[in-house]
Amino acid sequence: MWAKLAFRLFLRELRRGELTVICAAIALAVMTVLTLSSVTDRIGQAILQKSNAFIAADRALASNHALPDEYRQQAQKMGLKTAQLTFFDTMLFANDRMQLAAIKAASSAYPLKGELLIKSDFDAQEQVAEGGPKEGNVWLNETVMYSLDLQVGDEVELGAATFTVSHILSEEPDAPFNIFSGSRRVLLNEADIAKTEVIQPGSRVFYRQLYAGDGDDVEAFYQWLKPQLAENQRWYGVKDRQSPIANSLERSERFLLLAGLLGIILAAVAIAVSAKRYCERQYDPVAMMKTLGGARAQIRAIYLLHLSLVCGFSLLIGLAVGYSLQHVAADYMAKSMDISLPPASLRPWLSAVFIGVVCAVMFSIKPLLDLFDIPPLRVLRRNLGDRLVVSKIHLALSALTVFGLMWLFSGKIKITLILFASSALVVVVLFVASKVIFGTGRKLGLSPGNSWSLALASIQKRANANAVQLISFALAIKLLLFLIVLKNDMINDWQSQLPADAPNAFLVNISEQEKQPVADYLAANNIEVSRFYPTIRGRVNAVNGEKVAREVSLEDNEKKDEEARSGVGRELNLTWVRDMPSHNTLTKGQWFTEQSQGEVSIEQSMAERLEIQLGDTITFLIGSQSFDAEVTSFREVNWSTLKPNFFMILSPDLLAEFPATYIAAARIDDGENKAFTQLLRQYPTITAIDVDNFVEQIRSTIEQVSLAIGFVLAIVVVCGALVLISQVQASLGERMQEVVILRTLGARGKLIRGATLYEFLLLGLIAGVVAALVSDVALFIVQRQLFELPGKFHPDIWFIGPVAGALFVALLGYTMIARTLNKNTSGLLRKLM
């Protein structure tokens, strides 16, 4: 019987529109989580897949020693595509010239991701290669071609074998972005390695296996591989590389994660408000049931089943709308980004259902319990039950529920704590502020018949309800301000790293005698060039006289000295300059002066890694010569900029006597390629590294990430607006009663409209002030802790927040109340009955 009553109640209220608010709130939660999770999941997968071209695969395994072929065989059994790469340096001979070159021997499947671009002649158009060079052929990049004075079709000696230069190697998807190495590139067929007889015991060779396939298959292979990995083997993906694209991907993922978390907070607020309002509207029916003899247990069963039906119906609506919305969003993003988005995983669906059910139950349970406590006398005294005490336990459980859902959704405790704490701060500040403001308002003594007086009286009359509204408005405004400002700061930071005039080529291995002629030639041809940095290879040998650990080979049975101080493990590129590079920031200490002698400036992260303090003495080893330098400053280096950067910069007196070469960054615009090529022909010992295509790839990825972030932000803005709508809807019934009373007392429509507008204007203004201040504090923390951005305050949002909040809430609130104000008194009375 009770089940039938619950079902009939559900159908009746569904037809009458009584379930609109609560169903919309639960559906909003489900839709928000599903849409945001699906869109961010699909966009993240697509961007990552496209970015995987930077390593020519989905994942790679690198080692200084030969990798077992068993790995490739197992990967192929598990449905993955594989490729093998072998790297070594050797001399090339042709036309009575010789040149040291970096050889990459690749299997026929290379590359698994991205494209190899080649040219049939210096002036020919680039074309996409179908596989690597055939046996007996090699591809050389232009630098090697110039150095050996070669043309396509000529022969070159590589070790014990002779090969035909069949194409010019123009671009490799995984070419190392390192201005100190990897410039003289040669691509060889893997089957030809043995012919060269170059690799002998003790040769310095590097190996890499590439893997590509479905994400689950790659992860399954890694779980098989993980127990067998040696310490000198490294498994990595594109996000593991220290590069601009890796940093951009990490930041975008964090932002998209933030958007999802804020969507959960907004949905939780909407459900809490609408659940309370819906249960309040059921007070009279419950009182009537009890008057007619309905038992508490029976009423409880009816409404619990009723809530289950409401929850189930809302879940279906939310999932349907969310799926449609994310599908539309994905299609739009795919066209805008010119990529195909992979289907979303099952996780967004499971998250949406779980979060929707948890929110519906946790934020409805207290209003439901209050509903069961409504006394039968309410049928005679309509005010009974209107002021049920708010349970502190329920508030605590609700807060813990939101925190738990945020943590579950993100898996990141730090980001969850920051957002939750900042939102809690908004609640506390506004709760106290509302008590003060609404309390002091009674003492203002404004004249009757004034819209402002009526607005303040309305605010005072609904002090508790308005406090809740104020908190809801402020949370929505705070979260929206937070995302909008963070998005702009991220994009501005990316764009500042890659301005339109960013360097797109590097000149390396410039001798002292060539430096001035090269500078003059570039200036004469209007080619922009940075300062020339002297460079020399050196090793950190000791800190304060304590030897540092060196790099070891486990396969050669070398043992690491566990007692030695942590070191770099490799040679560093050292430079010496009097003036600090413009793209470096001094974080501690003092930069070199004219009187500086024997000083060194260290990059901040390197100093932390080596546990170095200001005043420490570092011993450097260059060849067989060693010298000491005192640490006098730490620097913050932006590694994402396409400019020469150094871990260690020494005062000029230390390295002035050492032979060095110079490097410089140049900007080669259209029309300057011919002059630049002539420079390389004139100075064949200079190495040129073309990074123009790399820059374009980074810009393209950043634009795609920015577009994705903008779309997700739009979804969150819509969610915020829906939260405000649900909050205003919750007070519609009470506002209709006020309009009837005021009209009965002779109040004019202009007075009522003005009072309504001013009331929402004040609520939005107060909410905007608090939201702006708390948002800025939270932004400062998040930027420094999560996004590695320079933390800064944003005074502009202290003005924008209150103004936008006041206008947005006033416009939205007034628009929703306008229909009520336009109805005549008899119509309002009939609707209230």
Side-chain angles (χ1 to χ4, degrees):
M1 178 65 180
W2 60 267
K4 185 177 180 181
L5 285 174
F7 190 71
R8 291 178 62 185
L9 178 66
F10 171 74
L11 292 179
R12 181 178 66 87
E13 294 194 347
L14 186 63
R15 286 193 298 267
R16 290 181 55 188
E18 297 290 328
L19 297 178
T20 302
V21 178
I22 183 66
C23 285
I26 298 174
L28 169 64
V30 176
M31 181 206 74
T32 300
V33 175
L34 178 61
T35 304
L36 286 177
S37 298
S38 297
V39 171
T40 54
D41 184 33
R42 297 181 68 178
I43 291 174
Q45 288 185 57
I47 293 175
L48 183 59
Q49 285 182 11
K50 188 168 184 178
S51 302
N52 283 340
F54 282 84
I55 61 170
D58 291 325
R59 292 292 187 276
L61 179 63
S63 175
N64 293 345
H65 304 280
L67 292 164
D69 198 54
E70 175 192 359
Y71 293 172
R72 278 204 293 176
Q73 294 173 3
Q74 180 64 30
Q76 291 168 358
K77 288 180 182 178
M78 300 179 74
L80 300 181
K81 298 177 181 178
T82 65
Q84 175 81 24
L85 299 177
T86 305
F87 301 86
F88 57 92
D89 294 341
T90 191
M91 299 297 295
L92 298 180
F93 299 90
N95 299 326
D96 296 324
R97 297 184 181 186
M98 61 181 179
Q99 174 64 59
L100 179 66
I103 313 297
K104 173 161 59 174
S107 60
S108 58
Y110 169 83
L112 302 180
K113 298 281 185 176
E115 296 176 338
L116 268 173
L117 298 184
I118 56 176
K119 295 194 297 186
S120 58
D121 198 354
F122 286 108
D123 299 322
Q125 292 292 323
E126 293 179 343
Q127 59 187 28
V128 178
E130 297 180 0
K134 297 179 180 179
E135 292 186 38
N137 293 334
V138 291
W139 296 347
L140 312 181
N141 71 358
E142 290 189 13
T143 301
V144 179
M145 299 285 285
Y146 294 145
S147 298
L148 297 177
D149 193 21
L150 290 170
Q151 298 290 330
V152 174
D154 291 349
E155 292 187 340
V156 62
E157 294 181 33
L158 196 167
T162 301
F163 297 91
T164 301
V165 180
S166 58
H167 288 90
I168 298 174
L169 180 60
S170 180
E171 179 189 328
E172 305 161 81
D174 59 335
F177 181 62
N178 187 329
I179 60 175
F180 298 103
S181 64
S183 57
R184 302 180 183 276
R185 312 285 294 170
V186 176
L187 190 60
L188 179 72
N189 191 295
E190 182 186 38
D192 287 332
I193 294 178
K195 299 177 185 177
T196 66
E197 301 180 10
V198 170
I199 300 179
Q200 301 294 331
S203 296
R204 189 174 179 82
V205 187
F206 303 94
Y207 300 88
R208 189 180 301 164
Q209 287 183 3
L210 306 180
Y211 308 94
D214 183 74
D216 294 335
D217 292 337
V218 174
E219 180 61 27
F221 172 69
Y222 176 61
Q223 294 305 319
W224 174 87
L225 178 67
K226 190 175 181 179
Q228 307 174 64
L229 287 178
E231 289 188 31
N232 61 349
Q233 297 174 348
R234 177 171 173 255
W235 173 267
Y236 66 93
V238 65
K239 292 189 293 185
D240 300 315
R241 303 181 80 187
Q242 188 184 51
S243 67
I245 189 62
N247 296 336
S248 299
L249 286 175
E250 289 177 5
R251 284 185 181 181
S252 64
E253 286 186 352
R254 290 173 190 157
F255 184 91
L256 298 178
L257 181 64
L258 269 177
L261 289 177
L262 301 185
I264 290 176
I265 296 176
L266 292 172
V269 172
I271 290 179
V273 171
S274 56
K276 185 176 184 301
R277 172 59 184 159
Y278 177 71
C279 288
E280 287 175 351
R281 298 178 71 171
Q282 299 299 312
Y283 285 174
D284 291 340
V286 169
M288 185 66 70
M289 289 182 190
K290 289 185 176 181
T291 303
L292 297 176
R296 180 186 176 90
Q298 188 178 33
I299 294 174
R300 184 189 302 117
I302 291 173
Y303 275 94
L304 286 176
L305 178 59
H306 180 59
L307 175 63
S308 300
L309 292 172
V310 171
C311 184
F313 177 77
S314 304
L315 282 175
L316 293 176
I317 296 296
L319 291 174
V321 175
Y323 174 76
S324 301
L325 189 58
Q326 68 88 24
H327 188 70
V328 172
D331 287 345
Y332 172 77
M333 296 294 295
K335 293 178 182 177
S336 301
M337 296 166 64
D338 193 25
I339 56 176
S340 59
L341 297 183
S345 62
L346 189 61
R347 185 175 183 272
W349 291 85
L350 297 177
S351 298
V353 173
F354 178 77
I355 290 174
V357 171
V358 170
C359 286
V361 172
M362 291 304 299
F363 295 112
S364 301
I365 192 69
K366 179 58 171 62
L368 271 178
L369 294 176
D370 291 343
L371 183 62
F372 303 148
D373 290 334
I374 293 298
L377 274 177
R378 182 179 170 87
V379 296
L380 299 176
R381 297 176 57 188
R382 297 290 302 277
N383 62 333
L384 288 178
D386 284 349
R387 297 185 178 275
L388 293 172
V389 179
V390 177
S391 171
K392 294 180 180 179
I393 296 177
H394 177 65
L395 291 177
L397 286 176
S398 298
L400 288 175
T401 299
V402 173
F403 180 82
L405 291 176
M406 292 172 64
W407 191 5
L408 177 68
F409 184 80
S410 68
K412 310 286 185 182
I413 187 63
K414 180 185 288 188
I415 191 173
T416 301
L417 283 171
I418 292 173
L419 286 181
F420 184 81
S422 62
S423 299
L425 181 61
V426 170
V427 173
V428 172
V429 170
L430 279 176
F431 182 77
V432 175
S434 64
K435 292 295 183 182
V436 174
I437 294 171
F438 300 153
T440 55
R442 297 186 177 90
K443 304 175 183 179
L444 294 178
L446 296 175
S447 60
N450 182 282
S451 294
W452 280 106
S453 298
L454 189 57
L456 289 174
S458 179
I459 289 176
Q460 295 163 14
K461 178 177 179 293
R462 285 191 299 272
N464 291 332
N466 282 331
V468 175
Q469 280 192 336
L470 201 59
I471 290 170
S472 300
F473 293 157
L475 280 176
I477 296 169
K478 175 243 175 185
L479 299 180
L480 295 178
L481 283 175
F482 186 93
L483 282 184
I484 292 171
V485 176
L486 183 58
K487 167 187 176 285
N488 292 336
D489 282 355
M490 283 175 56
I491 293 175
N492 290 338
D493 183 69
W494 282 333
Q495 291 174 341
S496 67
Q497 294 171 15
L498 292 175
D501 58 350
N504 58 2
F506 287 91
L507 295 172
V508 185
N509 200 35
I510 305 171
S511 68
E512 179 72 41
Q513 295 74 24
E514 294 170 333
K515 185 178 72 167
Q516 192 57 49
V518 168
D520 293 341
Y521 180 89
L522 294 174
N525 287 276
N526 298 317
I527 297 177
E528 296 181 19
V529 65
S530 71
R531 66 192 295 180
F532 288 75
Y533 290 89
T535 61
I536 193 169
R537 302 282 289 179
R539 181 182 294 274
V540 175
N541 204 37
V543 178
N544 295 328
E546 182 183 356
K547 293 284 187 180
V548 298
R550 62 189 178 87
E551 190 176 18
V552 299
S553 170
L554 296 178
E555 191 162 308
D556 293 338
N557 297 318
E558 294 185 32
K559 294 184 178 179
K560 182 178 179 180
D561 186 355
E562 299 294 345
E563 297 180 358
R565 185 185 182 114
S566 176
V568 181
R570 60 182 174 85
E571 287 189 332
L572 297 174
N573 295 289
L574 306 177
T575 192
W576 54 101
V577 293
R578 181 65 64 187
D579 301 322
M580 185 171 63
S582 60
H583 50 281
N584 286 201
T585 304
L586 196 68
T587 59
K588 198 173 183 181
Q590 184 177 0
W591 187 251
F592 309 141
T593 63
E594 291 293 334
Q595 292 75 35
S596 294
Q597 295 287 321
E599 297 181 6
V600 60
S601 176
I602 305 181
E603 190 268 338
Q604 183 74 42
S605 64
M606 176 63 74
E608 294 172 357
R609 173 183 169 185
L610 299 181
E611 299 178 353
I612 291 175
Q613 304 295 325
L614 289 180
D616 286 352
T617 299
I618 298 180
T619 301
F620 291 92
L621 184 65
I622 298 178
S624 59
Q625 301 183 54
S626 66
F627 58 90
D628 294 337
E630 180 186 355
V631 179
T632 56
S633 66
F634 296 149
R635 291 170 294 111
E636 187 176 86
V637 176
N638 189 347
W639 297 102
S640 298
T641 58
L642 298 178
K643 297 179 181 179
N645 284 310
F646 301 87
F647 284 112
M648 307 275 188
I649 299 180
L650 294 95
S651 57
D653 62 291
L654 287 172
L655 298 176
E657 301 302 321
F658 284 89
T661 58
Y662 290 81
I663 66 167
R667 173 69 193 177
I668 313 300
D669 293 322
D670 294 339
E672 298 173 347
N673 289 312
K674 186 175 181 180
F676 190 66
T677 300
Q678 185 60 37
L679 173 69
L680 299 180
R681 290 182 181 273
Q682 187 175 345
Y683 298 96
T685 58
I686 295 177
T687 299
I689 304 175
D690 182 8
V691 296
D692 196 46
N693 186 71
F694 185 85
V695 172
E696 289 305 314
Q697 284 183 297
I698 294 176
R699 282 206 178 100
S700 174
T701 301
I702 289 175
E703 289 173 1
Q704 293 164 8
V705 170
S706 301
L707 182 62
I709 287 174
F711 195 90
V712 171
L713 179 62
I715 295 176
V716 176
V717 170
V718 172
C719 293
L722 291 176
V723 169
L724 298 181
I725 291 172
S726 67
Q727 186 61 263
V728 174
Q729 280 183 328
S731 63
L732 275 178
E734 189 174 353
R735 291 181 184 278
M736 289 168 63
Q737 292 178 354
E738 288 183 359
V739 172
V740 170
I741 294 173
L742 288 171
R743 284 181 175 174
T744 303
L745 296 175
R748 292 178 301 171
K750 182 179 179 182
L751 176 69
I752 300 174
R753 288 186 178 88
T756 302
L757 182 63
Y758 295 152
E759 180 182 352
F760 282 113
L761 198 66
L762 284 172
L763 290 175
L765 181 65
I766 298 169
V769 170
V770 177
L773 295 177
V774 176
S775 291
D776 216 10
V777 174
L779 275 168
F780 182 86
I781 297 172
V782 167
Q783 284 176 327
R784 293 183 66 89
Q785 296 295 321
L786 299 178
F787 291 89
E788 299 173 357
L789 293 171
K792 62 178 181 180
F793 291 107
H794 306 78
D796 51 329
I797 70 170
W798 302 348
F799 171 77
I800 295 174
V803 172
L807 294 177
F808 185 58
V809 172
L811 180 63
L812 185 63
Y814 184 80
T815 302
M816 294 185 63
I817 301 298
R819 287 188 303 172
T820 299
L821 299 177
N822 291 330
K823 289 185 178 181
N824 56 40
T825 305
S826 59
L828 290 175
L829 283 172
R830 283 195 299 271
K831 192 162 186 178
L832 288 171
M833 296 296 290

